[in-house]
């Protein structure tokens, strides 16, 4: 039995909301799907308009309820109502009347008690994100470790030369940020066939400005590209090659700090009367300055400064053309210091300055929900609502990591119901728009590799299946498609194994190509709604639904009892059974349900 199949449902997708980019004052039709067995006799939509709750009575949507006309199942009753996008973010929920009493349906689920508004559904009337972002699959490249052009360049004094295929990455301690493998931007061009074959259409580069480290987050300048990477001409060659393939290119900018050798900071630190002094935080008595987590090579920017507010957006605009948008490093700390909380103001400023069509995605390693839906960041790196729950559910039995993305005690082992609770908790506190434009990542250059976390190919591929089929933008860290390992962010930055066949898990590579190819081929996986149907300790089942189709996804981490499919089905991925969800696992399976 599928535990949640009999619950009423609504989400922010086009199947349930008539306008995904409403303007202020526009009328929007919202729909509710209620199984007849739920006994719903009346539905009211509660909106919050200018801070005050209002109620609109819904009516049965006769067209959708009539299966003879639409093909929807006869066991469901559809309700519809029109509401108004009164505010830039208009919250709404459903009040359901049944023979058993009243219930609320919010993005947090079906509830028989009153709850606060923070899990209400949301209409967002801020300017919509670029349309291309909703279809994107992102591939993260750490330039020093991806590919080499073979160009010979003199090394700076800070660099610790390493052999690409012979010297393992130093995971911690002295030398981690100085080890230098020599990847460059023309080296990325050489391997774009591989990237595109994965189904990827967006390349994201970690910083490419000159610095005194391999990660380059300590930027020494924002007006030029690191000569070690080939300089500005190499960036233009890469951008041209990416754009000729119909793909897009994103950069990485740190709006919270710069490097201590950056001209802005050297001017500020050398002259107390320099205009740049206001761009940073200096103690008036000691002359000391604030830095990110006390790391003195990373002085913190002061967003109360007019110079910061003019110069940083100018940097982002300067590189548009070659770049199609930005991932913003340490976005959660940008503009925040003590009593100052300017993050939302800064995000909205940057979005206005960049204009439509330019992506702006925020790094946030925990709860980003309060920073979204405000006309600033289009989305976040969804560590809290995707990476963490997937890790807890699919972690290998022998995993021994010191922290869990910064949380002491390692990665806890949790069952499927707990993992789903985390996913839904985070998703319920952001709009559907922010959810689908956030990056769903299994790992990154700042984390252990997913293969290390799961400890096996089988569990890795279940995680990949969730990434490829759930709402949100998949983001792949280069090398995970080969099954590369790493116990922390530094260790995970392994040079790509182009000439190391022993480090290429070709079965994993094939699965990446197939599952992302399926996401490309099936609009419901990119634009469809999400209806959770079942969760137990070892098994998650959900449907992705559009006007045209319903895909059912089964993710098992271990064997269990077979479950019936909710009607006639056609196998789409990894299954030949059309009557039941098999009990063997680990496994990811997909069916197309008949309507």
């Amino acid at each position: 039995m599928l535990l949640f199949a009999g619950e009423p449902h609504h989400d922010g997708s086009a199947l349930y909301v008539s306008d995904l980019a409403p303007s202020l004052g526009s009328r929007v039709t919202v729909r509710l799907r209620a199984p007849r067995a739920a006994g719903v006799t009346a539905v009211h939509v509660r909106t919050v308009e200018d801070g005050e709750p209002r109620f609109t009575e819904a009516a049965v949507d006769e067209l959708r309820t009539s299966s003879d006309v639409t093909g929807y199942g006869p066991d469901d009753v559809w309700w519809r109502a029109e509401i108004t996008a009164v505010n830039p973010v208009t919250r709404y929920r459903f009040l359901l009347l049944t023979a058993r009493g009243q219930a609320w349906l919010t993005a947090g689920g079906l509830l028989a008690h009153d709850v606060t508004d923070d899990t209400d559904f949301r209409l967002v009337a801020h300017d919509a994100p670029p349309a291309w972002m909703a279809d994107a699959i992102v591939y993260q490249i750490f330039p020093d470790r991806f590919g080499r052009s073979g160009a010979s360049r003199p090394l700076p004094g800070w660099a610790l030369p390493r052999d690409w295929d012979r010297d393992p990455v130093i995971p911690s301690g002295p030398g981690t940020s100085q080890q230098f493998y020599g990847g460059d931007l023309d080296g990325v061009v050489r391997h774009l066939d591989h990237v595109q074959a994965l189904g990827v259409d967006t390349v994201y580069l970690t910083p490419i400005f000159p610095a005194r480290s391999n990660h380059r987050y300590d930027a020494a300048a924002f007006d030029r590209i690191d000569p070690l990477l080939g300089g500005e001409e190499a960036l233009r060659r890469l951008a041209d090659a990416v754009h000729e393939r119909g793909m897009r290119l994103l950069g990485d900018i740190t709006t919270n700090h710069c490097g201590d050798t950056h001209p802005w900071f050297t001017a500020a630190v050398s002259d107390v009367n320099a205009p740049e002094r206001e761009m940073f935080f200096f103690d008036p008595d000691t002359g000391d300055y604030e830095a990110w987590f006390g790391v003195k090579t990373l002085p913190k920017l002061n967003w109360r400064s007019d110079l910061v507010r003019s110069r940083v957006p100018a940097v982002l605009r300067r590189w548009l053309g070659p770049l199609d948008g930005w991932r913003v490093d340490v976005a959660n700390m940008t503009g925040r210091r003590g009593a100052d909380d300017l993050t939302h103001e800064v995000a909205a400023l940057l979005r206005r300055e960049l204009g439509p069509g330019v992506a702006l995605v925020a790094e946030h390693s925990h709860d980003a929900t309060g920073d979204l839906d405000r006309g600033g960041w289009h989305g976040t790196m969804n560590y809290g609502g995707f990476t963490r729950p997937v890790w807890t559910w699919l972690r290998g039995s022998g995993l021994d990591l010191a922290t869990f993305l910064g949380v002491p005690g390692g990665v806890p082992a949790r069952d499927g119901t707990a993992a789903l609770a985390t996913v839904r908790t985070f998703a319920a506190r952001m709009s559907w728009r922010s959810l689908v434009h956030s990056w769903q990542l299994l790992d990154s250059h700042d984390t252990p590799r997913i293969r290390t976390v799961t400890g096996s190919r089988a569990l890795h591929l279940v995680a990949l299946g969730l990434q490829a089929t759930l709402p949100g933008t998949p983001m792949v860290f280069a090398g995970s498609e080969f099954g590369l390992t790493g116990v922390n962010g530094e260790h995970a930055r392994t040079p790509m194994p182009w000439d190391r066949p022993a480090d290429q898990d070709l079965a994993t590579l094939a699965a990446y190509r197939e599952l992302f190819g399926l996401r490309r081929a099936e609009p419901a996986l990119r634009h469809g709604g999400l209806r959770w149907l079942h969760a137990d300790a070892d098994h998650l089942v959900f449907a992705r639904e559009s006007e045209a189709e319903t895909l059912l996804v089964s993710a098992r981490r271990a064997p269990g009892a077979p479950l019936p499919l909710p009607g006639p089905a056609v196998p789409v991925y990894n299954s030949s059974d059309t009557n039941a969800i098999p009990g063997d696992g680990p496994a990811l399976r997909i069916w197309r349900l008949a309507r």
Side-chain angles (χ1 to χ4, degrees):
M1 177 180 178
L2 298 174
L3 293 179
F4 312 134
E7 292 186 355
H9 180 73
H10 174 85
D11 60 47
S13 70
L15 186 60
Y16 296 92
V17 180
S18 65
D19 189 349
L20 302 186
S23 56
L24 275 178
S26 63
R27 299 283 285 171
V28 179
T29 299
V30 295
R31 292 183 172 88
L32 173 84
R33 179 182 193 164
R36 294 184 188 275
V40 175
T41 58
V43 174
H44 297 264
V45 183
R46 174 190 182 267
T47 56
V48 179
E49 303 178 9
D50 298 332
E52 181 68 19
R54 307 286 181 95
F55 286 87
T56 301
E57 187 172 3
V60 173
D61 188 330
E62 298 291 353
L63 182 62
R64 285 211 176 177
T65 299
S66 173
S67 60
D68 292 339
V69 177
T70 65
Y72 289 105
D75 295 330
D76 292 327
V77 177
W78 289 76
W79 300 77
R80 60 176 287 166
E82 281 197 351
I83 62 176
T84 303
V86 172
N87 303 113
V89 179
T90 301
R91 296 173 182 263
Y92 66 98
R93 65 170 76 170
F94 296 87
L95 175 65
L96 311 182
L97 305 183
T98 74
R100 295 184 294 274
Q102 294 185 358
W104 294 110
L105 181 67
T106 76
L110 189 65
L111 304 161
H113 60 274
D114 290 344
V115 292
T116 60
D117 295 349
D118 67 330
T119 63
D120 281 3
F121 301 105
R122 294 167 173 82
L123 294 178
V124 181
H126 293 291
D127 290 342
W132 60 265
M133 289 181 67
D135 290 304
I137 297 175
V138 179
Y139 190 78
Q140 182 191 33
I141 291 176
F142 191 83
D144 184 57
R145 313 291 160 83
F146 186 71
R148 295 173 295 180
S149 67
S152 178
R153 302 182 180 100
L155 296 186
W158 60 261
L160 175 64
R162 306 286 284 172
D163 185 276
W164 192 275
D165 293 316
R166 293 189 180 90
D167 293 335
V169 173
I170 302 169
S172 60
T176 53
S177 63
Q178 288 75 46
Q179 52 193 325
F180 183 83
Y181 286 87
D184 57 18
L185 299 182
D186 286 315
V188 176
V189 175
R190 293 181 61 186
H191 297 287
L192 285 178
D193 285 347
H194 168 83
V195 175
Q196 194 167 29
L198 291 174
V200 165
D201 65 357
T202 303
V203 174
Y204 151 50
L205 303 171
T206 60
I208 54 177
F209 300 117
R212 293 190 300 172
S213 66
N214 53 40
H215 56 71
R216 297 183 171 90
Y217 286 104
D218 55 333
F222 290 133
D223 60 353
R224 62 186 186 276
I225 305 303
D226 195 335
L228 293 172
L229 295 175
E232 186 170 345
E233 290 305 311
L235 174 62
R236 295 197 176 275
R237 287 191 293 271
L238 172 58
D240 288 346
V242 167
H243 293 151
E244 286 169 4
R245 294 167 179 263
M247 300 165 67
R248 289 177 171 83
L249 186 63
L250 304 182
D252 197 331
I253 188 74
T254 300
T255 53
N256 179 72
H257 54 261
C258 64
D260 63 341
T261 60
H262 195 287
W264 298 347
F265 184 73
T266 57
V269 78
S270 61
D271 182 359
V272 295
N273 296 313
E276 289 81 3
R277 190 82 173 180
E278 71 172 41
M279 298 178 71
F280 303 90
F281 297 99
F282 286 93
D283 187 300
D285 298 322
T286 66
D288 196 12
Y289 60 91
E290 288 202 27
W292 178 78
F293 278 104
V295 179
K296 288 301 187 179
T297 56
L298 304 174
K300 183 175 176 67
L301 292 166
N302 176 12
W303 276 93
R304 290 201 178 277
S305 161
D306 289 337
L307 279 181
V308 171
R309 290 182 177 231
S310 63
R311 290 185 179 182
V312 173
V315 169
L316 273 67
R317 292 194 306 270
R318 157 82 169 80
W319 297 104
L320 295 181
L323 301 181
D324 300 289
W326 295 92
R327 176 263 196 185
V328 180
D329 183 62
V330 199
N332 57 304
M333 297 182 72
T334 295
R336 286 190 169 116
R337 174 183 177 268
D340 288 349
D341 190 352
L342 308 175
T343 300
H344 307 137
E345 189 177 329
V346 172
L349 168 66
L350 295 178
R351 184 157 164 183
R352 288 194 305 271
E353 291 284 338
L354 292 176
V358 179
L360 193 63
V361 177
E363 181 201 24
H364 206 307
S365 63
H366 45 100
D367 180 8
T369 58
D371 287 349
L372 302 174
D373 298 331
R374 293 169 175 258
W377 319 126
H378 292 130
T380 186
M381 300 179 77
N382 195 12
Y383 286 107
F386 181 77
T387 315
R388 289 175 182 263
V390 169
W391 281 21
T392 62
W393 188 49
L394 298 177
R395 56 153 285 170
S397 58
L399 183 65
D400 183 19
L401 298 177
T403 67
F404 175 36
L405 298 177
V407 179
V411 181
R414 293 175 179 157
D415 69 12
T417 58
L420 176 57
T422 302
V423 169
R424 297 186 75 171
T425 294
F426 279 81
R429 287 162 176 81
M430 64 178 81
S431 69
W432 181 262
R433 176 192 287 187
S434 289
L435 175 65
V436 299
H437 291 96
S438 290
W439 290 357
Q440 310 290 60
L441 60 162
L442 299 177
D443 50 21
S444 75
H445 71 304
D446 285 328
T447 76
R449 291 274 188 180
I450 184 64
R451 178 58 64 88
T452 295
V453 173
T454 60
S456 73
R457 178 197 296 151
L459 290 175
H460 179 171
L461 297 189
V462 173
L464 170 64
L466 293 172
Q467 183 183 40
T469 57
L470 282 170
T473 302
M475 192 217 83
V476 180
F477 179 33
S480 286
E481 71 271 26
F482 286 125
L484 296 185
T485 59
V487 299
N488 60 22
E490 291 286 354
H491 194 225
R493 301 171 190 178
T494 305
M496 289 291 281
W498 306 120
D499 298 314
R500 302 194 307 273
D503 290 342
Q504 299 178 12
D505 183 342
L506 297 183
T508 295
L509 176 62
Y512 271 78
R513 289 174 173 170
E514 187 173 6
L515 281 164
F516 286 146
L518 184 63
R519 186 179 180 92
R520 284 255 163 263
E522 298 288 352
L525 295 180
R526 304 191 309 279
H527 303 288
L530 171 66
R531 190 158 57 107
W532 290 100
L533 298 175
H534 182 82
D536 61 38
D538 298 319
H539 193 196
L540 298 175
V541 183
F542 56 91
R544 298 299 311 277
E545 299 175 303
S546 69
E547 290 281 2
E549 65 177 349
T550 297
L551 297 180
L552 183 139
V553 181
S554 163
R556 283 193 183 275
R557 71 173 182 181
L563 290 176
L565 285 166
V570 176
V572 172
Y573 176 81
N574 196 31
S575 181
S576 58
D577 197 324
T578 58
N579 297 309
I581 301 172
D584 58 303
L588 188 287
R589 295 183 171 90
I590 305 173
W591 292 262
R592 180 175 286 104
L593 299 183
R595 286 210 176 147

